[in-house]
Amino acid sequence: MRKVIGMGETIMDIIFHGEQPTAAVPGGSSFNSIISIGRAGIPAVFVGETGHDEVGRRIADFLNANHVDASFLRMRDDIQSAVSLAFLDERNDAHYMFYKQPPHTLKGFIHPTVEADDIVQFGSYYALNPHIRPQVKAFLEYAHGQGAILYYDLNFRRTYQDRIKELLPAIHENFRLATVVRGSADDFEVMYGLRDAEEIYHRHIAPYCPLFLYTCGAENIMLCTPKGSSRFPVPPVRTVSTIGAGDNFNAGFIYGLIRYGIRRTGLPDLSEAQWEHAVTCGIRFAANACASIHNSIDEDFGRQMSRKMP
């Protein structure tokens, strides 16, 4: 079976509901996605780094326990593992405080072998960080050259709004390398002051990448391609936490690409029905993750999805 490679930050999320912490869950955008992919029975690999400390050991153990190859998770003695405090509001949306060390240059970067039609998910600040950008870019170029599908989730936080001009060249490089770009309404409001999916696509995405998925919480998901745009409704769901909603949409969409045999050369010519199959998988994964305090799909749901794989 094709494999999925997730590349990104790791963090320990300490989740508050009211005045008291209710859970401590390993996280990170690509990390949350790759845990769900592993639980759904797809060969999964994670590329990233963490401190060589108790939090880092728990993160590595969590990957292994969820059927994700942790061979390419670097446990570094020169950094401490990152921690976040996630405060859930009355709608169960999260507001964060992050505790991270300043970035350190990464030496001796290692990555897995990539084969045609494997899927690489990348994004967030990890894909822009100038301290590791040369290694990340080289890996993405290698994966692109091998014929992989590169799925770029912007996940651009307000923390970096003042650095947008500095970071745009790396963002545009990522757009050029990506097979599919996914971004949320909040990402583009922070980056460009825009929330209209078609305007964002034509002005900022289409010059670099032809395939664009736009999400906006519980509202319709928009697909923009050179053939036009489509809307996919999101059924209402009762949420416990929205921390992993977007990450698990990514996981489900990637799962759908593999489940329905969608390969890189076929993506530009997909019918709307084929897109809907993959997007619906993303919606189902996100809904399941939102129904618990955890950042990924639950194990029972993962087993159900695994049984549906060819």
Side-chain angles (χ1 to χ4, degrees), residues 2 28 63 82 87 121 139 198 265:
R2 297 150 64 187
L63 286 166
F87 300 93
Q121 184 194 338
F139 173 66
E198 294 191 36
T265 55

Side-chain angles (χ1 to χ4, degrees), residues 54-281:
E54 182 62 27
V55 170
R57 285 189 287 275
R58 288 173 182 258
I59 286 169
D61 289 346
F62 194 75
L63 286 166
N64 287 317
N66 286 284
H67 319 293
V68 179
D69 182 351
S71 303
F72 302 93
L73 174 70
R74 290 177 58 91
M75 299 183 70
R76 298 176 59 177
D77 291 317
D78 60 334
I79 64 172
Q80 287 184 327
S81 300
V83 174
S84 78
L85 305 183
F87 300 93
L88 299 179
D89 62 20
E90 64 280 359
R91 296 185 303 174
N92 293 316
D93 292 333
H95 306 276
Y96 296 93
M97 294 177 64
F98 293 97
Y99 297 87
K100 299 179 180 180
Q101 289 185 303
H104 288 62
T105 301
L106 178 61
K107 298 178 181 178
F109 181 78
I110 55 174
H111 62 74
T113 301
V114 178
E115 299 176 283
D117 293 312
D118 284 349
I119 300 176
V120 176
Q121 184 194 338
F122 67 106
S124 303
Y125 184 65
Y126 190 92
L128 308 174
N129 182 349
H131 291 82
I132 60 173
R133 178 65 189 169
Q135 296 96 326
V136 169
K137 181 183 175 184
F139 173 66
L140 295 175
E141 289 174 335
Y142 157 72
H144 184 271
Q146 292 295 103
I149 293 173
L150 273 63
Y151 183 94
Y152 180 34
D153 173 21
L154 277 162
N155 200 32
F156 192 87
R157 296 194 180 278
R158 197 169 294 277
T159 310
Y160 304 108
Q161 186 173 26
D162 293 341
R163 296 177 57 193
I164 184 63
K165 290 184 179 179
E166 170 197 343
L167 296 173
L168 270 177
I171 292 171
H172 290 160
E173 285 178 342
N174 290 340
F175 285 168
R176 287 191 188 97
L177 289 166
T179 317
V180 179
V181 172
R182 202 281 287 188
S184 72
D186 290 343
D187 292 334
F188 296 110
E189 184 170 36
V190 171
M191 292 172 65
Y192 305 127
L194 298 173
R195 292 182 75 90
D196 181 86
E198 294 191 36
E199 183 179 4
I200 293 164
Y201 174 66
H202 290 295
R203 289 179 58 180
H204 298 289
I205 309 296
Y208 307 99
C209 179
L211 304 177
F212 174 49
L213 285 166
Y214 174 89
T215 59
C216 187
E219 297 181 21
N220 291 342
I221 292 166
M222 289 282 294
L223 165 71
C224 297
T225 77
K227 298 178 182 179
S229 61
S230 303
R231 296 175 184 269
F232 303 101
V234 177
V237 61
R238 186 175 180 180
T239 62
V240 173
S241 167
T242 62
I243 290 175
D247 306 334
N248 284 278
F249 172 82
N250 296 338
F253 180 81
I254 290 168
Y255 164 93
L257 295 182
I258 295 177
R259 175 176 169 181
Y260 294 106
I262 298 169
R263 300 183 178 274
R264 190 168 99 172
T265 55
L267 270 166
D269 300 315
L270 290 187
S271 67
E272 184 165 334
Q274 288 174 302
W275 279 106
E276 186 173 13
H277 286 322
V279 169
T280 298
C281 290

Side-chain angles (χ1 to χ4, degrees), residues 36-49:
S36 291
I37 287 165
R39 287 179 174 177
I42 296 171
V45 184
F46 184 74
V47 177
E49 59 185 76

